[in-house]
Amino acid sequence: MVFSSNVFLFLFLPVFLIIYYLLPFKGRSAWILIGSYALYSWWRLDFLWLLAGVTLAAYFFALAIDRSNGPRRFQLLTVAVTLNLCALAYFKYANFGISSFNAAMTGLGFAPFAWAPILLPIGLSFFIFHAISYLVDIYRKEEPPTRNLLDFAAFIALFPHLIAGPVLKYNLLADQFLSRTHTLEKFSYGATRFMTGFAKKVLIADTIAPLVTASFNQPSPSFFDSWLGAFAYTLQLYFDFSGYSDMAIGLAAIMGFKFPENFNHPYISRSITEFWRRWHMSLSSWLREYLYIGLGGNRKGRARTYINLALTMVLGGLWHGANWTFILWGAWHGGILAIERRMKEAKLWQPRSAWLTIPGTLLLVIIGWVMFRADNVPDAFRMYRGMLGLNGLGLSDTLSWQVRPSELVTMLVAAVLVYVAPVWGNRVGDVGSKLLRPGLAVVATVTLLPLFVLAIMKLSAQSYTPFLYFQF
């Protein structure tokens, strides 16, 4: 069950919220846990044990770490993190590892290893990261472990962020589980934010999606085919994922929680370094705090700093999926981050002129998105050949008949939103937040209602379209 589905909108959410508001505050964590487990089980009941197991392991290991001293604290942390990473490795990377091994064996003339593909549980990457960050924070003594298993389990399973983030730390919500307010203003803000994200997903991302698929499926894409597909995917991914984040933030606000922003106009960045301060900010923060710093950060010399930057992004790419495309995408961004840092340290370059740096950064991002979107590395390089004009320049006949005027108009509207929205305000946030300040939430809700109704009508008419980040 996804947020952009009629079952969620007209069955799950109304029932959940009615009971949630009827319950006393002390009973709401239990209801959040029940509702979140029910939503997760809608997909596959048999994987609920994994979510519960990760939760229980993190809870009890955190208590054990807190009670321990000396080397035993690190030993317990190592065991706990290893167990989480083993679960992630088995469910997410076993297929990739075995298929890569079989490809090598076949190339050497040996018979491939027989195996049955392993199904990836949805949301696994996210709730594993939630558990690991909690364990590391307890080890670092940045916060005391919670003694309330119910609240902790509700945090891990909290359905607005369970499937595709944002990636949150427990201490951001710990006090909110103990005390939070529920007001009409908060509810209106949350509803407005949810409707904004829903419209971004259904009216923009889903409308552009067929054009992206058709472009990337071209056997020999031309210059125009490739750039049209690459730019369309750049917009689709942004409005799909930021739309999900808006919906998650909105749902949390309706329940009285405050989630941090996850996007801040990434496509106006003047460098790749700035891009990662604006794109998927919760993941960027997690990678910096628990991976980059864990590798040594910038504390072990200049050369090691560059290596740590590149390695963090390679592993961040691998986190997105078990495919060489994600590894190469991570290496692309990691290499650029290292180069930018070196140039900044040597005072060789400073990102000043927006007219030059914004298009230049966007070009680098788009090149990376091609690898990110491609099914495999050869498909990505087929697109790159087209982007260089090696297969002709004009729109190919095999693509032209698939391009609809509505898709081109939607792309134009999306591009305008990307570059006009930043002037709406100075507060950190994104297209879904600039005009949604609490004082204006009621007015904005009424304004968005026609778009929301139109999005529901479109949703009812189209086939199932899950969020792009569900695959990660």
Side-chain angles (χ1 to χ4, degrees), residues 219-231:
S220 297
S222 68
F223 178 86
F224 195 87
D225 296 346
S226 302
W227 282 103
L228 179 63
F231 188 61

Side-chain angles (χ1 to χ4, degrees), residues 21-23 43 47 56 58 90 113 200 213 215 232 269 277 287 313 352 381:
Y21 277 102
L22 289 175
L23 287 171
W43 172 69
F47 279 121
L56 290 172
Y90 174 75
F113 178 76
K200 287 164 69 176
T213 301
S215 299
S269 301
R277 294 187 184 124
L287 292 175
M313 292 309 301
R352 292 176 180 172
F381 278 95

Side-chain angles (χ1 to χ4, degrees), residues 149-459:
L149 176 58
L150 184 60
D151 282 353
F152 180 71
F155 159 75
I156 296 290
L158 188 62
F159 70 83
H161 78 130
L162 173 62
I163 306 300
V167 182
L168 303 179
K169 298 173 61 172
Y170 178 69
N171 62 9
L172 291 175
L173 297 186
D175 290 340
Q176 297 182 52
F177 273 102
L178 297 177
S179 175
R180 60 186 182 276
T181 59
H182 301 80
T183 64
L184 178 60
E185 189 175 60
K186 266 191 176 181
F187 189 96
S188 298
Y189 173 81
T192 303
R193 196 68 187 268
F194 180 87
M195 289 191 291
T196 302
F198 187 84
K200 287 164 69 176
K201 158 65 176 171
V202 177
L203 297 182
I204 297 180
D206 288 355
T207 300
I208 299 173
L211 175 58
V212 174
T213 301
S215 299
F216 274 81
N217 285 344
Q218 293 300 302
S220 297
S222 68
F223 178 86
F224 195 87
D225 296 346
S226 302
W227 282 103
L228 179 63
F231 188 61
Y233 181 66
T234 299
L235 294 172
Q236 180 203 5
L237 181 61
Y238 168 65
F239 279 91
D240 187 282
F241 191 27
S242 67
Y244 176 90
S245 294
D246 285 334
M247 296 169 78
I249 292 170
L251 288 170
I254 289 172
M255 297 161 62
F257 292 101
K258 183 179 180 181
F259 279 9
E261 295 293 339
N262 208 24
F263 288 87
N264 186 21
H265 310 294
Y267 291 156
I268 65 168
S269 301
R270 301 187 181 192
S271 66
I272 294 298
T273 302
E274 183 183 351
F275 174 80
W276 280 105
R277 294 187 184 124
R278 293 174 174 271
W279 176 274
H280 203 345
M281 295 187 291
S282 63
L283 176 64
S284 300
S285 177
W286 197 100
L287 292 175
R288 180 177 62 252
E289 187 168 349
Y290 299 102
L291 188 53
Y292 174 69
I293 292 177
L295 291 170
N298 59 0
R299 303 188 305 274
K300 298 186 178 182
R302 183 175 294 171
R304 181 64 181 272
T305 298
Y306 305 148
I307 293 173
N308 289 342
L309 277 171
L311 185 57
T312 296
M313 292 309 301
V314 168
L315 293 175
L318 185 61
W319 174 85
H320 281 83
N323 196 320
W324 287 107
T325 56
F326 295 118
I327 296 174
L328 292 176
W329 170 77
W332 170 256
H333 278 269
I336 296 173
L337 286 173
I339 292 171
E340 287 184 352
R341 187 180 183 96
R342 174 56 184 152
M343 294 179 69
K344 182 179 180 181
E345 290 174 345
K347 299 182 179 180
L348 298 174
W349 174 74
Q350 293 292 334
R352 292 176 180 172
S353 174
W355 294 105
L356 177 64
T357 53
I358 290 178
T361 300
L362 183 62
L363 176 63
L364 295 175
V365 171
I366 291 175
I367 292 172
W369 284 147
V370 170
M371 182 64 70
F372 190 87
R373 168 60 174 78
D375 293 330
N376 50 60
V377 175
D379 283 357
F381 278 95
R382 188 182 70 242
M383 287 289 289
Y384 290 142
R385 283 179 56 85
M387 294 168 78
L388 292 173
L390 299 180
N391 298 324
L393 299 178
L395 184 66
S396 65
D397 294 337
T398 55
L399 180 62
S400 61
W401 68 272
Q402 301 181 68
V403 179
R404 301 175 182 176
S406 60
E407 296 168 344
L408 299 179
V409 171
T410 301
M411 285 181 62
L412 178 61
V413 171
V416 169
L417 286 174
V418 165
Y419 291 103
V420 170
V423 305
W424 290 352
N426 296 319
R427 185 172 61 86
V428 172
D430 209 63
V431 175
S433 66
K434 289 297 182 183
L435 289 180
L436 307 186
R437 296 171 181 174
L440 299 175
V442 176
V443 176
T445 300
V446 175
T447 305
L448 278 169
L449 275 175
L451 288 177
F452 184 61
V453 172
L454 180 62
I456 291 175
M457 293 171 62
K458 184 177 184 297
L459 175 71

Side-chain angles (χ1 to χ4, degrees), residues 103-129:
M105 295 298 290
T106 303
L108 295 173
F110 295 98
F113 178 76
W115 60 286
I118 299 167
L119 185 64
L120 173 64
I122 59 172
L124 177 67
S125 300
F126 289 92
F127 63 74
I128 288 288
F129 268 26

